[in-house]
Amino acid sequence: MPEPPDRPAPIRLAPLWTRAFHTFNLLVLLVMASSGLQIYNANPVFGGRGGATVPESLTLGGWLAGGRDSHFGFMGLYALNLGLWIVLLLVQRRRRLAKGGDLITIKGSGNSGKRRLASHRVVYSLMLVLLAFSLITGLAMFKPAQFWWLSGLFAFGEAFGVSAWQTLRVCHFATIPAIALLLIAHVLLSWRIGGLRLLRSMLA
Amino acid sequence: MSRHLDPRHLISRRRLLGFGLSGGSSLLLGGCALNGFSEKVGEASEPLNQRLEALLQGRGPVPEFRPDQVDPAALLVNSFNGIPRLNPASYRLRVEGLVSRPLQLDLAALAALPQHSVIMRHVCVEGWAAIVAWSGVRLADVLTLAGISPLGGYIEIDSADQYFESWDLA
């Protein structure tokens, strides 16, 4: 009589705070990006008045003020959630963050598993840096009079004939495609490392 | 934390995940249906944001720029109801409300007040900005002349094209 097939081992859920952060961050990022694109449409970063706008189906708010309502309404929650997560990581899970040795591992290690883990740590850390960058560039645009020194950092484009403000706008906007790419890399690498089971442990 | 899942529940979890994703995409795609949501969000977050902004307000002067940084072409003309034609002879700046001396200033009276000029960055709510040179009378001088009451928290500005705007006096 054949043995009954092995039942798959039960899935161990990721810690509640990990799942809570991921869910909340994903939802808030969707709101920030879609309301941000609504603001973009009021005066496109590329082309200015008369420049190409983003399809309305990707925007949130219906018009400029609606987009700003959501963008400024969620920015605080977004910053709190991300700040809390970064603090928790630094205090409790520092191993998950990239370190200098990771780049050497990616370049030189013959162990593909190790290479994957190292590249995932790099992608993961870059995501945190990028999300923080979106907040910093956002703050520089939100309060340019108070944070003039922050907005002033973007004057490096003036050497190429681009105003500091335009550089700032492009930087802030670029965080959307950049985080989308990193998100894809993050999910694919998680898939390679833990497969569907890991994804389920995050989303179940 | 080590909660274990019974594999029998996995299908329903997966369905839940499906609901979650479709919910997320409808948030993205159903933007139009959520315009009321944005307004609610704005109303809910506005008081807290105003407090935060009040904390940041009045910390030193605004940054000024060099004359060669002025870019007149970058300043877009945003008129609410077309560009109004003003008659310099009949123009009056009316100041009223919580003031001890309501004013009706003509151009000569405005010209008699101390004149200032400043090169600063004009930032529009639409996202664009332009470095412009402003010159004229300071609002603070006009309000002092009118004897503004400390009870007033905001000023409302009505412009000739019927646009209106309110400013926090903080």
Side-chain angles (χ1 to χ4, degrees), chain B residues 131-151:
Chain B
I131 295 173
V132 279
W134 298 110
S135 62
V137 178
R138 278 201 314 214
L139 178 63
D141 293 340
V142 175
L143 294 179
T144 308
L145 191 66
I148 186 164
S149 156
L151 295 173

Side-chain angles (χ1 to χ4, degrees), chain A residues 137-191:
Chain A
T137 49
L139 188 64
M141 281 166 78
F142 183 57
K143 291 286 157 203
Q146 286 80 9
F147 295 100
W148 51 268
W149 47 272
L150 197 57
S151 321
L153 291 180
F154 293 83
F156 59 85
E158 279 174 8
F160 309 100
V162 184
S163 71
W165 191 259
Q166 181 66 11
T167 311
L168 186 54
R169 287 191 82 188
V170 171
C171 285
H172 191 58
F173 171 74
T175 56
I176 295 183
I179 201 67
L181 287 177
L182 285 175
L183 179 67
I184 292 169
H186 180 48
V187 171
L188 285 180
L189 283 165
S190 308
W191 186 274

Side-chain angles (χ1 to χ4, degrees), chain A residues 49 57 68 70 72 165 200, chain B residues 14 28 38 49 78 125 127:
Chain A
R49 190 174 282 182
S57 55
R68 290 172 69 90
S70 285
F72 299 154
W165 191 259
R200 265 191 211 156
Chain B
R14 192 180 298 173
L28 201 63
S38 289
N49 278 354
N78 263 347
V125 291

